[in-house]
Amino acid sequence: MNKADTFEFYRRLAEANPAPETELAWRNPFTLLVAVALSAQATDVSVNKATGALFDLADTPEKMLALGEERVRGHIKTIGLFNTKAKNVIALSRALIDLHGGEVPRSREALEALPGVGRKTANVVLNVAFGEATIAVDTHIFRVGNRTGLAPGKTPLAVELKLEKATPAPFRLHAHHWLILHGRYICKARTPECWRCPVVDLCRYKPKTPEPKRAQRVPTEPAA
C-alpha cells in the first residue's frame, strides 16, 4: 500500500472512530497490565467478567500478592490457561514490588522482563497507560496488516516494524486500536465484512466478500 493510500486508510478509520479505546476494563496501570496478560488466547469480554471482582479486592501489586495464587486462580478460572496465568500474576506482582517499588515500569525492556509479559502486552501497556505511540500486534492486527496490504509480514514483529514505519505520525497513537477494532468487527478472520468496510477500495484483499443475501419471506395464501 502506497503512502497516499495508507494515509487515507487511517484517515477513514479515524473519522469513523476519533477516540478509540481498549475494550479491556482497567483502573490503573497495574490492573491494565494484569488484564492484558490475562487476555492472551482469551477474549476481552471473558477477561472483563473475571477481573471485575478480582480488581475490587486487589488493584495493586501488594494487594494481589496478599490475595495469593489460589484465590487469584479462583477468580480467573473461566479464562483459558488460568493456572499458568494465576502464577504469572502473583510472580509479576512480586517482581513489581521487589524491582520497581510497586509501580509499573515505563520501558518495554523492563515490562518484558516481568513474568508472563511479552512484547505485545508491553506495547499495550505503554500505549494505553502511558500514551506512547506503540503498536501491539495481536492476531487481529496481524491479519489486517497482511490481508489489506498495509503491512505484510510473516511474523508479528515484522508486521509491527512495518506498521511503525508506514503509519503517518498523526495516526501513530491510536493506530493499534483502530486496527484491532477493524479486525475484530469488520475484517474478521473467516468472513470479512467487505460490504460495510470503510476502506474497501484501498484494501488489497481479493475477492471481496459480498453482502449476504437476506432471506426472502414466501407469501402465504390467505385462508379460505
Side-chain angles (χ1 to χ4, degrees), residues 5 15 19 53 84 108 110 125 140-141 147 169 176 180 206 221:
D5 285 352
E15 183 178 52
T84 298
R108 182 186 286 117
V125 172
H140 296 297
I141 296 180
R147 180 183 279 168
H176 162 78
I180 193 172
K206 295 179 180 179
E221 294 184 3

Side-chain angles (χ1 to χ4, degrees), residues 11-181:
R11 189 198 67 77
R12 293 184 195 176
L13 295 184
E15 183 178 52
N17 187 4
E21 296 181 348
T22 179
E23 294 186 323
L24 285 171
W26 63 289
R27 309 179 187 188
N28 54 37
F30 172 69
T31 56
L32 175 66
L33 175 62
V34 172
V36 179
L38 293 177
S39 71
Q41 300 183 45
T43 65
D44 288 0
V45 172
S46 68
V47 172
N48 290 342
K49 287 181 179 179
T51 56
L54 175 63
F55 292 158
D56 283 342
L57 295 172
D59 59 357
T60 67
E62 293 81 5
K63 292 178 182 178
M64 194 69 74
L65 197 59
L67 195 62
E69 182 180 326
E70 184 176 351
R71 293 182 67 187
V72 170
R73 185 166 53 245
H75 281 284
I76 67 170
K77 62 184 178 182
T78 55
I79 302 175
L81 306 175
F82 64 91
N83 282 315
T84 298
K85 290 177 180 179
K87 291 180 181 179
N88 285 337
V89 167
I90 293 300
L92 73 82
S93 297
R94 182 177 291 110
L96 288 175
I97 295 169
D98 293 345
L99 302 176
H100 303 287
E103 299 294 325
V104 175
R106 196 169 175 168
S107 80
R108 182 186 286 117
E109 293 74 20
L111 286 167
E112 286 190 62
L114 297 171
V117 177
R119 185 179 182 90
K120 179 178 75 70
T121 297
N123 280 341
V124 173
V125 172
L126 290 172
N127 179 258
V128 177
F130 300 123
E132 297 193 18
T134 53
I135 300 176
V137 177
D138 68 348
T139 56
H140 296 297
I141 296 180
F142 184 77
R143 179 175 65 255
V144 170
N146 278 284
R147 180 183 279 168
T148 64
L150 183 66
K154 293 184 177 180
T155 66
L157 180 58
V159 171
E160 178 188 335
L161 295 178
K162 284 190 175 182
L163 285 172
E164 288 183 345
K165 184 177 180 179
T167 302
F171 304 115
R172 284 289 302 275
L173 180 61
H174 294 310
H176 162 78
H177 288 115
W178 283 318
L179 295 175
I180 193 172
L181 293 173

